[in-house]
Amino acid sequence: MERPLPTPRVMLPRGANLQRPPLPPVRKYAVDPSLPRRRRPVTTALADTGLLYALAHRPKYLEMFLGLYGETVAVATAVEDEIRQISRIPQATRAHKNLVLMGACADRLVAKLDDKTITVREPSEDSADLEAALQQQLRELDRAEAEQRGTTWRSKDVDRTKRHHGEMESILVATDIIKAGGTAILLTNDGGASRVAWQQGVSARNLRDILAELACANPDLKEEDLLTAFNEMTAHFGTLPAEVRPTDSSAFRCRAFGGACQFCDR
């Protein structure tokens, strides 16, 4: 699928640590209001593990996503490690570990990593200080979520931040790209990761956004089918915060007319 060429009108803002307004404390996902429904080309789109598993659960949409985003799709080294670790689990033992579905998704993604359809990026050595700050921010979000659930957050729960390692590295790579003068976006269903990325000047898109972008690029896609696919892809992993989950199929309705869209062409 031919990708549109970046133009000044559709490129994301350049520069590191862009100033962003603070997010309301009740918001679970950082939605960038400047991004239209239609995909805006970027230098690199950093996808995290959960979102890729969700797409790989429905291979048709994984292929369409890779076709739309093309060579811009990349993962951080930590995300690659997470995917390959699951793929290396022998199929005979996956059922005992409740990893049958996740293992199949990991296998599909490893094939894309091996043939370089999905490239791998490593954070720069200069990002060590930022890494510590991101770890602290993710830790505080875990603490806040525990308190909202009415559970006691304990010091040993710090180890839970390790589950965010892929998202953290993805944000680090994105900030490296922005510092170098490029444009980057984080592809994640994780609300906490989107909030931390927002604080670093990195916009996030989720599975709902990606399927809507596919609808804009392919008028043959039916919005009802996309809603069904979304629900199936997020039933086991990559669940989105309720505030950004689609309530009906209109979330995937392309409103373009005659090749123009008042919502996207601004």
Side-chain angles (χ1 to χ4, degrees):
M1 183 180 298
E2 185 178 353
R3 294 183 289 113
L5 294 175
T7 68
R9 179 177 60 81
V10 299
M11 290 295 287
L12 292 172
R14 294 180 181 271
N17 297 319
L18 301 178
Q19 294 298 315
R20 300 292 183 95
L23 294 168
V26 296
R27 181 167 290 283
K28 302 298 183 182
Y29 197 99
V31 176
D32 186 345
S34 71
L35 293 179
R37 181 185 302 265
R38 184 182 299 167
R39 184 184 73 93
R40 281 188 175 180
V42 293
T43 306
T44 307
L46 278 302
D48 77 359
T49 310
L51 183 135
L52 286 174
Y53 279 153
L55 283 166
H57 181 33
R58 293 290 298 269
K60 166 187 173 181
Y61 293 101
L62 173 64
E63 295 297 336
M64 294 180 70
F65 158 71
L66 293 173
L68 181 63
Y69 275 75
E71 61 185 13
T72 67
V73 180
V75 296
T77 50
V79 172
E80 179 194 23
D81 291 343
E82 290 171 356
I83 294 170
R84 290 190 182 278
Q85 182 179 4
I86 296 298
S87 183
R88 284 194 290 267
I89 297 175
Q91 291 192 12
T93 63
R94 290 178 180 178
H96 300 291
K97 297 178 178 291
N98 296 321
L99 292 174
V100 175
L101 179 58
M102 186 177 291
C105 293
D107 291 343
R108 296 183 186 112
L109 294 170
V110 165
K112 300 301 181 183
L113 289 165
D114 287 344
D115 68 11
K116 308 301 181 183
T117 299
I118 300 176
T119 58
V120 182
R121 301 288 298 267
E122 185 176 4
S124 69
E125 296 180 358
D126 297 334
S127 61
D129 291 340
L130 180 56
E131 178 177 346
L134 296 184
Q135 286 179 333
Q136 180 63 28
Q137 291 168 9
L138 290 167
R139 185 180 302 127
E140 290 303 318
L141 286 173
D142 272 346
R143 182 199 297 271
E145 289 178 2
E147 291 176 350
Q148 290 175 0
R149 292 193 303 268
T151 58
T152 302
W153 191 88
R154 298 164 294 178
S155 58
K156 69 178 183 179
D157 291 333
V158 169
D159 292 338
R160 294 182 66 234
T161 304
K162 293 179 180 179
R163 68 186 174 91
H164 296 298
H165 196 57
E167 291 94 334
M168 181 189 66
E169 275 203 5
S170 299
I171 298 171
L172 291 176
V173 173
T175 58
D176 285 339
I177 292 169
I178 293 173
K179 289 177 183 177
T183 53
I185 197 167
L186 177 67
L187 303 179
T188 181
N189 284 355
D190 187 283
S194 75
R195 290 173 58 88
V196 173
W198 177 268
Q199 296 173 24
Q200 298 302 321
V202 179
S203 299
R205 300 285 263 179
N206 55 56
L207 182 63
R208 169 182 173 160
D209 298 319
I210 290 172
L211 294 183
E213 291 171 349
L214 291 177
C216 286
N218 188 342
D220 293 331
L221 288 176
K222 297 180 179 179
E223 61 183 72
E224 296 81 4
D225 293 339
L226 289 169
L227 178 61
T228 299
F230 175 90
N231 290 330
E232 291 178 353
M233 286 189 278
T234 57
H236 302 283
F237 31 66
T239 303
L240 272 165
E243 67 182 30
V244 288
R245 289 184 63 86
T247 56
D248 56 49
S249 65
S250 65
F252 309 110
R253 185 176 302 157
C254 181
R255 293 172 171 81
F257 180 77
C261 176
Q262 61 176 329
F263 298 98
C264 295
D265 299 331
R266 62 173 189 262

